[in-house]
Amino acid sequence: MAALPPGSTIGILGGGQLGRMLATAAAQLGYRCHIYAPPGDNVACDVTAAYTIAEYDDLVALKAFALACDVVTFEFENVPVTPLESITSLVPVYPPLRALEAAQDRAAEKQFVRALGGKTAEFAVAQDESAVPAAIAAVGIPCILKTIRFGYDGKGQSRITDDGDIAGAWERTGGQPLIAEAMVSFDAEFSVILVRGQDGEIRFWDSSQNLHVGGILAKSTLPAGPLVESQQQAARDMAAAVASALDYVGVFTAEFFASAQGPLFNEIAPRVHNSGHWTIEGAVTSQFENHIRAICGLPLGATKTLAERVEMENLIGDGGERFEQILADPAAHLHLYGKAEARPGRKIGHVTRLYR
């Protein structure tokens, strides 16, 4: 596909903060953005040229949206694939729908990565409630139950620490097919974030070490430390193999555990990622700009880190109330997402601090 010229329209499926930051990066390069999202607090609409509020299975609205765009992308992986198949003949869609399918099924995702030589925690599938005890027995206790589809930020998960936790686990985890995943011993969590162009070129950002609290990313820091740095290349090789096998275009994220056995694959996100927010100020080219460059067929930007130390902190719940204090810090770069309500566990912004 020839490069899309400035002035073209980029369609973004999803109206959250990732769409908001993608649209901001696109505007800087001279593109218009059109958001498509179901009803809700669609903060991306505040910064875009156009938006359509409709359900993802509204094929009439989805077709009209596609015809108004020159390329379509998505800001999160839980967009239903089947309706999107109706627009791929109307407009290029990047990343490809195959990447969405891979990310929407935890079991298939892990099997796909294993087939490419990646290492994962042991897991077993339970398609119904009666299969839960056997799945837990297959991986052992302690373990964690995760819904196969549509879980993120700790949602759709239940920890099993003793036999007493098994009763009611199906309902606690959402009453839908799930995997039982063995608890792994690890010393750090980290992300590999890459961008892959339409010509297959791949560039990586430095990996951050990630701290999760309650299943939600709380902080990402660079440098990530000797252990992560020693495993970064092997993890990059694995992430690149997955992205290439999917014929991926755009920013791609793979999360890993740094362990004594080397990097253990956790999950993929076929999109820009929370742990890459630091790249807005901390890298030559942000993940958001490079995603726009990739899907528009433009040359990829440099990904070098610009500071000796970088820290990205998520502002969760009422964390945004510290905005004056944050703005008084000369090292801080504040991003508030404009969400209407600050609820416990809800990401309402982030702050990146650069130390040179």
Side-chain angles (χ1 to χ4, degrees), residues 17 41 153 155 213 216-218 274 313-323 326 334-351:
Q17 65 262 23
D41 190 8
D153 280 351
K155 299 178 178 67
V213 177
I216 302 174
L217 180 67
N274 193 176
E313 174 193 358
N314 271 329
L315 301 176
I316 300 170
D318 61 2
E321 295 179 1
R322 297 187 285 117
F323 68 94
I326 293 169
L334 177 64
H335 297 258
L336 294 176
Y337 305 147
K339 293 186 176 180
E341 181 183 3
R343 298 191 300 268
R346 191 182 198 199
K347 298 171 186 171
I348 54 89
H350 73 270
V351 56

PDB file of all heavy atoms in Angstrom, residues 17 41 153 155 213 216-218 274 313-323 326 334-351:
ATOM      1  N   GLN A  17      -8.656   6.062  26.238  1.00  0.00           N
ATOM      2  CA  GLN A  17      -7.478   6.925  26.275  1.00  0.00           C
ATOM      3  C   GLN A  17      -6.427   6.553  25.244  1.00  0.00           C
ATOM      4  O   GLN A  17      -5.694   7.418  24.753  1.00  0.00           O
ATOM      5  CB  GLN A  17      -6.852   6.930  27.672  1.00  0.00           C
ATOM      6  CG  GLN A  17      -6.280   5.604  28.148  1.00  0.00           C
ATOM      7  CD  GLN A  17      -7.256   4.864  29.045  1.00  0.00           C
ATOM      8  OE1 GLN A  17      -8.465   5.094  28.993  1.00  0.00           O
ATOM      9  NE2 GLN A  17      -6.736   3.985  29.890  1.00  0.00           N
ATOM     10  N   ASP A  41     -18.163   6.579  27.992  1.00  0.00           N
ATOM     11  CA  ASP A  41     -17.304   7.737  28.252  1.00  0.00           C
ATOM     12  C   ASP A  41     -16.154   7.716  27.250  1.00  0.00           C
ATOM     13  O   ASP A  41     -15.021   7.368  27.579  1.00  0.00           O
ATOM     14  CB  ASP A  41     -16.796   7.681  29.695  1.00  0.00           C
ATOM     15  CG  ASP A  41     -16.102   8.969  30.115  1.00  0.00           C
ATOM     16  OD1 ASP A  41     -16.146   9.954  29.344  1.00  0.00           O
ATOM     17  OD2 ASP A  41     -15.520   8.990  31.219  1.00  0.00           O
ATOM     18  N   ASP A 153      -6.655  -5.942  32.762  1.00  0.00           N
ATOM     19  CA  ASP A 153      -6.475  -5.197  34.016  1.00  0.00           C
ATOM     20  C   ASP A 153      -6.956  -5.979  35.233  1.00  0.00           C
ATOM     21  O   ASP A 153      -7.581  -5.441  36.144  1.00  0.00           O
ATOM     22  CB  ASP A 153      -7.211  -3.852  33.953  1.00  0.00           C
ATOM     23  CG  ASP A 153      -6.434  -2.798  33.183  1.00  0.00           C
ATOM     24  OD1 ASP A 153      -5.262  -3.062  32.862  1.00  0.00           O
ATOM     25  OD2 ASP A 153      -6.997  -1.730  32.918  1.00  0.00           O
ATOM     26  N   LYS A 155      -9.272  -8.148  35.443  1.00  0.00           N
ATOM     27  CA  LYS A 155     -10.668  -8.587  35.403  1.00  0.00           C
ATOM     28  C   LYS A 155     -10.738 -10.019  34.885  1.00  0.00           C
ATOM     29  O   LYS A 155      -9.927 -10.446  34.079  1.00  0.00           O
ATOM     30  CB  LYS A 155     -11.495  -7.647  34.519  1.00  0.00           C
ATOM     31  CG  LYS A 155     -11.518  -6.203  35.008  1.00  0.00           C
ATOM     32  CD  LYS A 155     -12.314  -5.328  34.056  1.00  0.00           C
ATOM     33  CE  LYS A 155     -12.385  -3.881  34.559  1.00  0.00           C
ATOM     34  NZ  LYS A 155     -11.062  -3.220  34.539  1.00  0.00           N
ATOM     35  N   VAL A 213      -0.308  -3.775  40.583  1.00  0.00           N
ATOM     36  CA  VAL A 213      -0.984  -3.807  41.875  1.00  0.00           C
ATOM     37  C   VAL A 213      -2.443  -4.150  41.618  1.00  0.00           C
ATOM     38  O   VAL A 213      -3.134  -3.442  40.876  1.00  0.00           O
ATOM     39  CB  VAL A 213      -0.878  -2.450  42.603  1.00  0.00           C
ATOM     40  CG1 VAL A 213      -1.649  -2.498  43.920  1.00  0.00           C
ATOM     41  CG2 VAL A 213       0.583  -2.084  42.857  1.00  0.00           C
ATOM     42  N   ILE A 216      -3.471  -4.434  37.946  1.00  0.00           N
ATOM     43  CA  ILE A 216      -3.429  -3.221  37.134  1.00  0.00           C
ATOM     44  C   ILE A 216      -2.011  -2.677  37.146  1.00  0.00           C
ATOM     45  O   ILE A 216      -1.377  -2.582  38.200  1.00  0.00           O
ATOM     46  CB  ILE A 216      -4.406  -2.165  37.663  1.00  0.00           C
ATOM     47  CG1 ILE A 216      -5.831  -2.706  37.678  1.00  0.00           C
ATOM     48  CG2 ILE A 216      -4.346  -0.892  36.826  1.00  0.00           C
ATOM     49  CD1 ILE A 216      -6.831  -1.770  38.321  1.00  0.00           C
ATOM     50  N   LEU A 217      -1.510  -2.274  35.988  1.00  0.00           N
ATOM     51  CA  LEU A 217      -0.178  -1.688  35.921  1.00  0.00           C
ATOM     52  C   LEU A 217      -0.138  -0.403  36.747  1.00  0.00           C
ATOM     53  O   LEU A 217      -0.934   0.513  36.527  1.00  0.00           O
ATOM     54  CB  LEU A 217       0.200  -1.390  34.471  1.00  0.00           C
ATOM     55  CG  LEU A 217       1.585  -0.774  34.279  1.00  0.00           C
ATOM     56  CD1 LEU A 217       2.687  -1.760  34.656  1.00  0.00           C
ATOM     57  CD2 LEU A 217       1.771  -0.309  32.832  1.00  0.00           C
ATOM     58  N   ALA A 218       0.787  -0.349  37.696  1.00  0.00           N
ATOM     59  CA  ALA A 218       0.937   0.837  38.533  1.00  0.00           C
ATOM     60  C   ALA A 218       2.108   1.695  38.087  1.00  0.00           C
ATOM     61  O   ALA A 218       2.023   2.935  38.087  1.00  0.00           O
ATOM     62  CB  ALA A 218       1.124   0.436  39.995  1.00  0.00           C
ATOM     63  N   ASN A 274      -0.138   0.342  27.704  1.00  0.00           N
ATOM     64  CA  ASN A 274       0.043   1.200  28.874  1.00  0.00           C
ATOM     65  C   ASN A 274       1.512   1.306  29.290  1.00  0.00           C
ATOM     66  O   ASN A 274       1.997   2.373  29.657  1.00  0.00           O
ATOM     67  CB  ASN A 274      -0.811   0.657  30.014  1.00  0.00           C
ATOM     68  CG  ASN A 274      -0.968   1.611  31.178  1.00  0.00           C
ATOM     69  OD1 ASN A 274      -1.689   1.322  32.121  1.00  0.00           O
ATOM     70  ND2 ASN A 274      -0.310   2.760  31.157  1.00  0.00           N
ATOM     71  N   GLU A 313       4.070   6.526  35.900  1.00  0.00           N
ATOM     72  CA  GLU A 313       3.148   6.142  36.968  1.00  0.00           C
ATOM     73  C   GLU A 313       1.719   6.315  36.482  1.00  0.00           C
ATOM     74  O   GLU A 313       1.349   7.385  35.979  1.00  0.00           O
ATOM     75  CB  GLU A 313       3.380   7.022  38.200  1.00  0.00           C
ATOM     76  CG  GLU A 313       2.382   6.812  39.320  1.00  0.00           C
ATOM     77  CD  GLU A 313       2.430   7.901  40.377  1.00  0.00           C
ATOM     78  OE1 GLU A 313       3.274   8.818  40.254  1.00  0.00           O
ATOM     79  OE2 GLU A 313       1.609   7.857  41.319  1.00  0.00           O
ATOM     80  N   ASN A 314       0.912   5.274  36.606  1.00  0.00           N
ATOM     81  CA  ASN A 314      -0.506   5.401  36.291  1.00  0.00           C
ATOM     82  C   ASN A 314      -1.224   6.140  37.405  1.00  0.00           C
ATOM     83  O   ASN A 314      -0.950   5.908  38.593  1.00  0.00           O
ATOM     84  CB  ASN A 314      -1.146   4.025  36.102  1.00  0.00           C
ATOM     85  CG  ASN A 314      -1.075   3.539  34.678  1.00  0.00           C
ATOM     86  OD1 ASN A 314      -1.102   4.331  33.744  1.00  0.00           O
ATOM     87  ND2 ASN A 314      -0.975   2.233  34.500  1.00  0.00           N
ATOM     88  N   LEU A 315      -2.131   7.008  37.031  1.00  0.00           N
ATOM     89  CA  LEU A 315      -2.993   7.689  37.992  1.00  0.00           C
ATOM     90  C   LEU A 315      -4.321   6.960  37.987  1.00  0.00           C
ATOM     91  O   LEU A 315      -5.049   6.971  36.983  1.00  0.00           O
ATOM     92  CB  LEU A 315      -3.163   9.158  37.605  1.00  0.00           C
ATOM     93  CG  LEU A 315      -1.847   9.946  37.522  1.00  0.00           C
ATOM     94  CD1 LEU A 315      -2.110  11.366  37.048  1.00  0.00           C
ATOM     95  CD2 LEU A 315      -1.120   9.950  38.862  1.00  0.00           C
ATOM     96  N   ILE A 316      -4.619   6.295  39.085  1.00  0.00           N
ATOM     97  CA  ILE A 316      -5.758   5.381  39.169  1.00  0.00           C
ATOM     98  C   ILE A 316      -6.740   5.882  40.216  1.00  0.00           C
ATOM     99  O   ILE A 316      -6.346   6.343  41.284  1.00  0.00           O
ATOM    100  CB  ILE A 316      -5.273   3.964  39.507  1.00  0.00           C
ATOM    101  CG1 ILE A 316      -4.315   3.465  38.415  1.00  0.00           C
ATOM    102  CG2 ILE A 316      -6.442   2.995  39.650  1.00  0.00           C
ATOM    103  CD1 ILE A 316      -3.577   2.180  38.762  1.00  0.00           C
ATOM    104  N   GLY A 317      -8.021   5.800  39.907  1.00  0.00           N
ATOM    105  CA  GLY A 317      -9.036   6.275  40.850  1.00  0.00           C
ATOM    106  C   GLY A 317      -8.936   7.771  41.043  1.00  0.00           C
ATOM    107  O   GLY A 317      -9.060   8.542  40.087  1.00  0.00           O
ATOM    108  N   ASP A 318      -8.687   8.197  42.273  1.00  0.00           N
ATOM    109  CA  ASP A 318      -8.604   9.628  42.550  1.00  0.00           C
ATOM    110  C   ASP A 318      -7.184  10.173  42.407  1.00  0.00           C
ATOM    111  O   ASP A 318      -6.888  11.289  42.851  1.00  0.00           O
ATOM    112  CB  ASP A 318      -9.138   9.935  43.952  1.00  0.00           C
ATOM    113  CG  ASP A 318      -8.347   9.224  45.046  1.00  0.00           C
ATOM    114  OD1 ASP A 318      -7.363   8.527  44.728  1.00  0.00           O
ATOM    115  OD2 ASP A 318      -8.723   9.370  46.224  1.00  0.00           O
ATOM    116  N   GLY A 319      -6.300   9.433  41.762  1.00  0.00           N
ATOM    117  CA  GLY A 319      -4.904   9.855  41.620  1.00  0.00           C
ATOM    118  C   GLY A 319      -4.733  11.174  40.891  1.00  0.00           C
ATOM    119  O   GLY A 319      -3.758  11.899  41.106  1.00  0.00           O
ATOM    120  N   GLY A 320      -5.678  11.522  40.029  1.00  0.00           N
ATOM    121  CA  GLY A 320      -5.574  12.763  39.281  1.00  0.00           C
ATOM    122  C   GLY A 320      -5.774  14.001  40.128  1.00  0.00           C
ATOM    123  O   GLY A 320      -5.480  15.129  39.687  1.00  0.00           O
ATOM    124  N   GLU A 321      -6.256  13.830  41.355  1.00  0.00           N
ATOM    125  CA  GLU A 321      -6.461  14.983  42.223  1.00  0.00           C
ATOM    126  C   GLU A 321      -5.145  15.626  42.638  1.00  0.00           C
ATOM    127  O   GLU A 321      -5.128  16.748  43.151  1.00  0.00           O
ATOM    128  CB  GLU A 321      -7.265  14.559  43.460  1.00  0.00           C
ATOM    129  CG  GLU A 321      -8.684  14.117  43.117  1.00  0.00           C
ATOM    130  CD  GLU A 321      -9.468  13.669  44.341  1.00  0.00           C
ATOM    131  OE1 GLU A 321      -8.900  13.726  45.463  1.00  0.00           O
ATOM    132  OE2 GLU A 321     -10.637  13.271  44.179  1.00  0.00           O
ATOM    133  N   ARG A 322      -4.039  14.932  42.398  1.00  0.00           N
ATOM    134  CA  ARG A 322      -2.719  15.481  42.721  1.00  0.00           C
ATOM    135  C   ARG A 322      -2.153  16.317  41.585  1.00  0.00           C
ATOM    136  O   ARG A 322      -0.948  16.579  41.533  1.00  0.00           O
ATOM    137  CB  ARG A 322      -1.752  14.342  43.034  1.00  0.00           C
ATOM    138  CG  ARG A 322      -2.127  13.508  44.239  1.00  0.00           C
ATOM    139  CD  ARG A 322      -1.032  12.503  44.584  1.00  0.00           C
ATOM    140  NE  ARG A 322      -0.996  11.366  43.656  1.00  0.00           N
ATOM    141  CZ  ARG A 322       0.025  11.079  42.873  1.00  0.00           C
ATOM    142  NH1 ARG A 322       1.099  11.846  42.829  1.00  0.00           N
ATOM    143  NH2 ARG A 322      -0.022  10.009  42.086  1.00  0.00           N
ATOM    144  N   PHE A 323      -2.980  16.756  40.646  1.00  0.00           N
ATOM    145  CA  PHE A 323      -2.466  17.360  39.427  1.00  0.00           C
ATOM    146  C   PHE A 323      -1.597  18.596  39.687  1.00  0.00           C
ATOM    147  O   PHE A 323      -0.585  18.806  39.012  1.00  0.00           O
ATOM    148  CB  PHE A 323      -3.602  17.695  38.449  1.00  0.00           C
ATOM    149  CG  PHE A 323      -4.532  18.786  38.884  1.00  0.00           C
ATOM    150  CD1 PHE A 323      -4.313  20.090  38.485  1.00  0.00           C
ATOM    151  CD2 PHE A 323      -5.628  18.502  39.682  1.00  0.00           C
ATOM    152  CE1 PHE A 323      -5.169  21.105  38.870  1.00  0.00           C
ATOM    153  CE2 PHE A 323      -6.493  19.507  40.083  1.00  0.00           C
ATOM    154  CZ  PHE A 323      -6.262  20.811  39.674  1.00  0.00           C
ATOM    155  N   ILE A 326       1.790  17.398  40.936  1.00  0.00           N
ATOM    156  CA  ILE A 326       2.539  16.793  39.838  1.00  0.00           C
ATOM    157  C   ILE A 326       3.103  17.868  38.925  1.00  0.00           C
ATOM    158  O   ILE A 326       4.274  17.822  38.514  1.00  0.00           O
ATOM    159  CB  ILE A 326       1.643  15.817  39.057  1.00  0.00           C
ATOM    160  CG1 ILE A 326       1.287  14.611  39.936  1.00  0.00           C
ATOM    161  CG2 ILE A 326       2.327  15.356  37.770  1.00  0.00           C
ATOM    162  CD1 ILE A 326       0.199  13.733  39.364  1.00  0.00           C
ATOM    163  N   LEU A 334       2.510  15.429  32.734  1.00  0.00           N
ATOM    164  CA  LEU A 334       1.197  14.947  33.147  1.00  0.00           C
ATOM    165  C   LEU A 334       0.276  14.742  31.951  1.00  0.00           C
ATOM    166  O   LEU A 334       0.200  15.584  31.058  1.00  0.00           O
ATOM    167  CB  LEU A 334       0.552  15.948  34.113  1.00  0.00           C
ATOM    168  CG  LEU A 334      -0.869  15.639  34.593  1.00  0.00           C
ATOM    169  CD1 LEU A 334      -0.892  14.356  35.422  1.00  0.00           C
ATOM    170  CD2 LEU A 334      -1.419  16.818  35.402  1.00  0.00           C
ATOM    171  N   HIS A 335      -0.442  13.628  31.964  1.00  0.00           N
ATOM    172  CA  HIS A 335      -1.465  13.336  30.959  1.00  0.00           C
ATOM    173  C   HIS A 335      -2.741  12.936  31.686  1.00  0.00           C
ATOM    174  O   HIS A 335      -2.771  11.896  32.359  1.00  0.00           O
ATOM    175  CB  HIS A 335      -1.025  12.183  30.041  1.00  0.00           C
ATOM    176  CG  HIS A 335       0.197  12.474  29.241  1.00  0.00           C
ATOM    177  ND1 HIS A 335       0.151  12.824  27.919  1.00  0.00           N
ATOM    178  CD2 HIS A 335       1.512  12.469  29.597  1.00  0.00           C
ATOM    179  CE1 HIS A 335       1.393  13.016  27.476  1.00  0.00           C
ATOM    180  NE2 HIS A 335       2.229  12.812  28.480  1.00  0.00           N
ATOM    181  N   LEU A 336      -3.769  13.734  31.581  1.00  0.00           N
ATOM    182  CA  LEU A 336      -5.086  13.384  32.109  1.00  0.00           C
ATOM    183  C   LEU A 336      -5.990  13.070  30.935  1.00  0.00           C
ATOM    184  O   LEU A 336      -5.946  13.753  29.897  1.00  0.00           O
ATOM    185  CB  LEU A 336      -5.655  14.518  32.961  1.00  0.00           C
ATOM    186  CG  LEU A 336      -4.892  14.817  34.257  1.00  0.00           C
ATOM    187  CD1 LEU A 336      -5.492  16.017  34.974  1.00  0.00           C
ATOM    188  CD2 LEU A 336      -4.878  13.594  35.185  1.00  0.00           C
ATOM    189  N   TYR A 337      -6.829  12.052  31.084  1.00  0.00           N
ATOM    190  CA  TYR A 337      -7.579  11.518  29.963  1.00  0.00           C
ATOM    191  C   TYR A 337      -8.959  12.132  29.781  1.00  0.00           C
ATOM    192  O   TYR A 337      -9.663  11.788  28.828  1.00  0.00           O
ATOM    193  CB  TYR A 337      -7.711   9.999  30.100  1.00  0.00           C
ATOM    194  CG  TYR A 337      -6.395   9.272  30.251  1.00  0.00           C
ATOM    195  CD1 TYR A 337      -6.300   8.111  31.017  1.00  0.00           C
ATOM    196  CD2 TYR A 337      -5.234   9.743  29.624  1.00  0.00           C
ATOM    197  CE1 TYR A 337      -5.099   7.429  31.155  1.00  0.00           C
ATOM    198  CE2 TYR A 337      -4.027   9.069  29.757  1.00  0.00           C
ATOM    199  CZ  TYR A 337      -3.967   7.918  30.531  1.00  0.00           C
ATOM    200  OH  TYR A 337      -2.773   7.254  30.676  1.00  0.00           O
ATOM    201  N   GLY A 338      -9.367  13.005  30.678  1.00  0.00           N
ATOM    202  CA  GLY A 338     -10.657  13.668  30.527  1.00  0.00           C
ATOM    203  C   GLY A 338     -11.853  12.794  30.843  1.00  0.00           C
ATOM    204  O   GLY A 338     -12.963  13.074  30.374  1.00  0.00           O
ATOM    205  N   LYS A 339     -11.655  11.759  31.656  1.00  0.00           N
ATOM    206  CA  LYS A 339     -12.768  10.862  31.964  1.00  0.00           C
ATOM    207  C   LYS A 339     -13.739  11.537  32.933  1.00  0.00           C
ATOM    208  O   LYS A 339     -13.345  12.299  33.818  1.00  0.00           O
ATOM    209  CB  LYS A 339     -12.247   9.553  32.548  1.00  0.00           C
ATOM    210  CG  LYS A 339     -11.454   8.745  31.518  1.00  0.00           C
ATOM    211  CD  LYS A 339     -11.042   7.389  32.035  1.00  0.00           C
ATOM    212  CE  LYS A 339     -10.335   6.596  30.941  1.00  0.00           C
ATOM    213  NZ  LYS A 339      -9.915   5.253  31.390  1.00  0.00           N
ATOM    214  N   ALA A 340     -15.013  11.250  32.746  1.00  0.00           N
ATOM    215  CA  ALA A 340     -16.065  11.932  33.494  1.00  0.00           C
ATOM    216  C   ALA A 340     -16.085  11.552  34.962  1.00  0.00           C
ATOM    217  O   ALA A 340     -16.486  12.348  35.811  1.00  0.00           O
ATOM    218  CB  ALA A 340     -17.427  11.648  32.865  1.00  0.00           C
ATOM    219  N   GLU A 341     -15.648  10.344  35.278  1.00  0.00           N
ATOM    220  CA  GLU A 341     -15.740   9.862  36.654  1.00  0.00           C
ATOM    221  C   GLU A 341     -14.488   9.100  37.040  1.00  0.00           C
ATOM    222  O   GLU A 341     -13.992   8.269  36.262  1.00  0.00           O
ATOM    223  CB  GLU A 341     -16.962   8.958  36.806  1.00  0.00           C
ATOM    224  CG  GLU A 341     -17.180   8.421  38.208  1.00  0.00           C
ATOM    225  CD  GLU A 341     -18.352   7.467  38.299  1.00  0.00           C
ATOM    226  OE1 GLU A 341     -18.976   7.179  37.249  1.00  0.00           O
ATOM    227  OE2 GLU A 341     -18.637   6.993  39.414  1.00  0.00           O
ATOM    228  N   ALA A 342     -13.952   9.401  38.216  1.00  0.00           N
ATOM    229  CA  ALA A 342     -12.796   8.688  38.742  1.00  0.00           C
ATOM    230  C   ALA A 342     -13.283   7.604  39.688  1.00  0.00           C
ATOM    231  O   ALA A 342     -13.709   7.882  40.807  1.00  0.00           O
ATOM    232  CB  ALA A 342     -11.868   9.652  39.466  1.00  0.00           C
ATOM    233  N   ARG A 343     -13.239   6.352  39.230  1.00  0.00           N
ATOM    234  CA  ARG A 343     -13.689   5.221  40.043  1.00  0.00           C
ATOM    235  C   ARG A 343     -12.488   4.406  40.504  1.00  0.00           C
ATOM    236  O   ARG A 343     -11.446   4.400  39.831  1.00  0.00           O
ATOM    237  CB  ARG A 343     -14.624   4.324  39.237  1.00  0.00           C
ATOM    238  CG  ARG A 343     -15.900   5.007  38.764  1.00  0.00           C
ATOM    239  CD  ARG A 343     -16.870   3.967  38.216  1.00  0.00           C
ATOM    240  NE  ARG A 343     -16.340   3.230  37.093  1.00  0.00           N
ATOM    241  CZ  ARG A 343     -16.503   3.564  35.816  1.00  0.00           C
ATOM    242  NH1 ARG A 343     -17.179   4.664  35.517  1.00  0.00           N
ATOM    243  NH2 ARG A 343     -16.006   2.823  34.854  1.00  0.00           N
ATOM    244  N   PRO A 344     -12.606   3.698  41.626  1.00  0.00           N
ATOM    245  CA  PRO A 344     -11.520   2.819  42.059  1.00  0.00           C
ATOM    246  C   PRO A 344     -11.130   1.843  40.949  1.00  0.00           C
ATOM    247  O   PRO A 344     -11.993   1.232  40.311  1.00  0.00           O
ATOM    248  CB  PRO A 344     -12.112   2.087  43.265  1.00  0.00           C
ATOM    249  CG  PRO A 344     -13.147   3.024  43.802  1.00  0.00           C
ATOM    250  CD  PRO A 344     -13.742   3.685  42.585  1.00  0.00           C
ATOM    251  N   GLY A 345      -9.833   1.718  40.677  1.00  0.00           N
ATOM    252  CA  GLY A 345      -9.348   0.807  39.657  1.00  0.00           C
ATOM    253  C   GLY A 345      -9.396   1.350  38.251  1.00  0.00           C
ATOM    254  O   GLY A 345      -8.980   0.670  37.311  1.00  0.00           O
ATOM    255  N   ARG A 346      -9.886   2.583  38.071  1.00  0.00           N
ATOM    256  CA  ARG A 346      -9.999   3.151  36.726  1.00  0.00           C
ATOM    257  C   ARG A 346      -8.803   4.061  36.441  1.00  0.00           C
ATOM    258  O   ARG A 346      -8.468   4.943  37.236  1.00  0.00           O
ATOM    259  CB  ARG A 346     -11.288   3.953  36.590  1.00  0.00           C
ATOM    260  CG  ARG A 346     -11.610   4.338  35.154  1.00  0.00           C
ATOM    261  CD  ARG A 346     -12.869   5.165  35.048  1.00  0.00           C
ATOM    262  NE  ARG A 346     -13.385   5.175  33.683  1.00  0.00           N
ATOM    263  CZ  ARG A 346     -14.233   6.071  33.196  1.00  0.00           C
ATOM    264  NH1 ARG A 346     -14.685   7.039  33.983  1.00  0.00           N
ATOM    265  NH2 ARG A 346     -14.640   6.000  31.961  1.00  0.00           N
ATOM    266  N   LYS A 347      -8.169   3.847  35.298  1.00  0.00           N
ATOM    267  CA  LYS A 347      -7.045   4.694  34.904  1.00  0.00           C
ATOM    268  C   LYS A 347      -7.583   6.032  34.391  1.00  0.00           C
ATOM    269  O   LYS A 347      -8.310   6.069  33.397  1.00  0.00           O
ATOM    270  CB  LYS A 347      -6.229   4.017  33.801  1.00  0.00           C
ATOM    271  CG  LYS A 347      -5.606   2.690  34.214  1.00  0.00           C
ATOM    272  CD  LYS A 347      -5.013   1.984  33.008  1.00  0.00           C
ATOM    273  CE  LYS A 347      -4.511   0.599  33.358  1.00  0.00           C
ATOM    274  NZ  LYS A 347      -4.123  -0.179  32.155  1.00  0.00           N
ATOM    275  N   ILE A 348      -7.215   7.099  35.065  1.00  0.00           N
ATOM    276  CA  ILE A 348      -7.704   8.418  34.642  1.00  0.00           C
ATOM    277  C   ILE A 348      -6.578   9.305  34.108  1.00  0.00           C
ATOM    278  O   ILE A 348      -6.834  10.421  33.650  1.00  0.00           O
ATOM    279  CB  ILE A 348      -8.478   9.122  35.774  1.00  0.00           C
ATOM    280  CG1 ILE A 348      -7.664   9.208  37.064  1.00  0.00           C
ATOM    281  CG2 ILE A 348      -9.777   8.377  36.060  1.00  0.00           C
ATOM    282  CD1 ILE A 348      -6.815  10.423  37.152  1.00  0.00           C
ATOM    283  N   GLY A 349      -5.351   8.798  34.141  1.00  0.00           N
ATOM    284  CA  GLY A 349      -4.237   9.553  33.599  1.00  0.00           C
ATOM    285  C   GLY A 349      -2.925   8.853  33.901  1.00  0.00           C
ATOM    286  O   GLY A 349      -2.891   7.764  34.482  1.00  0.00           O
ATOM    287  N   HIS A 350      -1.841   9.482  33.495  1.00  0.00           N
ATOM    288  CA  HIS A 350      -0.519   8.989  33.869  1.00  0.00           C
ATOM    289  C   HIS A 350       0.452  10.156  33.929  1.00  0.00           C
ATOM    290  O   HIS A 350       0.186  11.238  33.386  1.00  0.00           O
ATOM    291  CB  HIS A 350      -0.004   7.913  32.893  1.00  0.00           C
ATOM    292  CG  HIS A 350       0.423   8.420  31.554  1.00  0.00           C
ATOM    293  ND1 HIS A 350      -0.441   8.526  30.481  1.00  0.00           N
ATOM    294  CD2 HIS A 350       1.626   8.880  31.104  1.00  0.00           C
ATOM    295  CE1 HIS A 350       0.209   9.001  29.429  1.00  0.00           C
ATOM    296  NE2 HIS A 350       1.474   9.222  29.787  1.00  0.00           N
ATOM    297  N   VAL A 351       1.553   9.931  34.611  1.00  0.00           N
ATOM    298  CA  VAL A 351       2.612  10.936  34.683  1.00  0.00           C
ATOM    299  C   VAL A 351       3.925  10.249  34.382  1.00  0.00           C
ATOM    300  O   VAL A 351       4.211   9.157  34.895  1.00  0.00           O
ATOM    301  CB  VAL A 351       2.640  11.643  36.058  1.00  0.00           C
ATOM    302  CG1 VAL A 351       2.778  10.650  37.196  1.00  0.00           C
ATOM    303  CG2 VAL A 351       3.750  12.670  36.107  1.00  0.00           C
TER     304      VAL A 351
END
